[in-house]
Amino acid sequence: MSKTPAALGADAAAGAAHLQPAVCFGAVMHERHTVANNRFVYPCAFLRLPLSRIDDLKVPLLGIERANFFSFRRRDHGARDGSALLPWLQRVLDTYGLRAVCDGEVVLQTMPRVFGYVFNPVSFWFCHDASGALRVVLAQVNNTFGERHNYLVHHADVRAIESGDALRARKVFHVSPFFPLSGEYRFRFERRGRVHAVQIDLWDEGVLQLSTRIGGRAEVLDGHAMRRWLLRQPFMTLGVIARIHWQALRLAMRRVRFHRKPLPPQEETSR
């Protein structure tokens, strides 16, 4: 049976919802599977910002390039010099011959500054084609040593990335001193209705070492959602740093092997 125009319109609206500005409330999970098995989950929230609309956003409590309870600053992302984000991303895509297939919206999934402070362990740039299909994801990773690296992930034939597809990237950037600089990441990007989630598994020599998952349910990015965030998690970014160091202390107390920090990779981006 063919769908009515109203049903088709509803499908189109639902399909485009992942390209709209949103705030997601959910949780982060980490699980160490090898020596000193350790698992923890804590609540989190993050923004999903279409780059074409960032400069036009006017949301209570959220400042775009200005101070507020929450704020988004271009200097926290991309080239980190305050320059426009989309041209920077396009240059990265050009370098790897990927710009032609990423001719649609780019959605940046990240944490904002809270009371002026921010630490993003990882931000994701979701690059879509003109039809809204996801083709490429750039994962911009930061470690607690002030270093950063970009993992560019996509299918070898650059076909659309479907929910749950596994995309691989060789580990080249030091994050945790309790894992060596070896192995590969397997990324999975999931979208089920309003729920957005990213699963990152670290494998080394055929053994699953670490699982990380960040996910949340999207809500309209408005004053109501930001007030809810402020009331529930006013010190979230400080909490991220505190939890990282607390879990590191627990592993150190269990005498897990400590790996010295190597030099960061010479290339800013790898795939």
Side-chain angles (χ1 to χ4, degrees):
M1 180 183 294
S2 61
K3 292 187 177 182
T4 65
L8 290 172
D11 287 348
H18 66 290
L19 304 179
Q20 303 303 312
V23 57
C24 297
F25 295 98
V28 172
M29 181 279 294
H30 291 271
E31 183 171 6
R32 182 185 177 95
H33 298 280
T34 53
V35 178
N37 180 272
N38 186 42
R39 185 179 189 273
F40 59 93
V41 181
Y42 56 84
C44 75
F46 51 88
L47 299 176
R48 286 178 55 86
L49 303 173
L51 295 190
S52 67
R53 299 179 58 181
I54 284 180
D55 291 336
D56 298 325
L57 287 176
K58 293 180 173 56
V59 180
L61 303 184
L62 175 63
I64 305 298
E65 294 300 320
R66 60 184 179 83
N68 208 322
F69 290 101
F70 300 89
S71 58
F72 177 87
R73 303 279 187 174
R74 285 190 292 269
R75 67 174 181 265
D76 297 328
H77 308 277
R80 310 296 179 95
D81 59 3
S83 60
L85 300 179
L86 186 57
W88 172 83
L89 178 63
Q90 290 172 336
R91 288 193 294 271
V92 174
L93 296 174
D94 274 334
T95 299
Y96 294 92
L98 297 170
R99 185 173 175 182
V101 298
C102 300
D103 56 351
E105 184 64 85
V106 176
V107 177
L108 175 57
Q109 179 175 305
T110 190
M111 296 178 185
R113 289 175 173 259
V114 184
F115 297 111
Y117 180 77
V118 68
F119 175 69
N120 282 305
V122 58
S123 297
F124 299 97
W125 307 62
F126 293 94
C127 307
H128 303 82
D129 62 21
S131 72
L134 180 63
R135 293 300 191 98
V136 175
V137 180
L138 185 143
Q140 194 164 45
V141 181
N142 300 286
N143 63 24
T144 54
F145 305 100
E147 300 168 340
R148 61 184 183 272
H149 185 73
N150 308 318
Y151 290 98
L152 197 59
V153 294
H154 55 83
H155 287 297
D157 59 1
V158 206
R159 68 181 183 275
I161 300 171
E162 302 292 342
S163 182
D165 284 355
L167 303 169
R168 301 186 179 194
R170 184 170 62 91
K171 181 181 177 181
V172 298
F173 181 60
H174 180 78
V175 177
S176 169
F178 299 102
F179 285 103
L181 191 61
S182 61
E184 70 170 17
Y185 292 116
R186 299 181 188 178
F187 293 83
R188 287 181 172 82
F189 305 99
E190 302 174 11
R191 177 164 57 88
R192 301 184 307 279
R194 292 191 298 155
V195 175
H196 299 270
V198 179
Q199 175 88 22
I200 307 173
D201 294 328
L202 175 63
W203 290 76
D204 197 1
E205 297 183 348
V207 178
L208 178 60
Q209 305 286 323
L210 177 71
S211 295
T212 302
R213 182 180 177 86
I214 178 170
R217 180 177 294 274
E219 299 185 8
V220 174
L221 179 55
D222 59 13
H224 174 75
M226 299 310 295
R227 283 190 291 272
R228 177 183 170 192
W229 187 341
L230 184 62
L231 289 173
R232 293 190 175 188
Q233 301 179 58
F235 303 108
M236 188 187 74
T237 48
L238 291 174
V240 169
I241 289 290
R243 290 183 177 102
I244 287 173
H245 287 90
W246 168 241
Q247 296 300 328
L249 177 61
R250 292 183 63 193
L251 292 175
M253 293 175 64
R254 296 172 71 177
R255 299 176 185 258
V256 177
R257 181 182 174 186
F258 186 93
H259 298 267
R260 292 186 178 276
K261 188 184 79 66
L263 292 174
Q266 293 185 344
E267 298 295 328
E268 183 182 51
T269 302
S270 63
R271 64 172 177 173

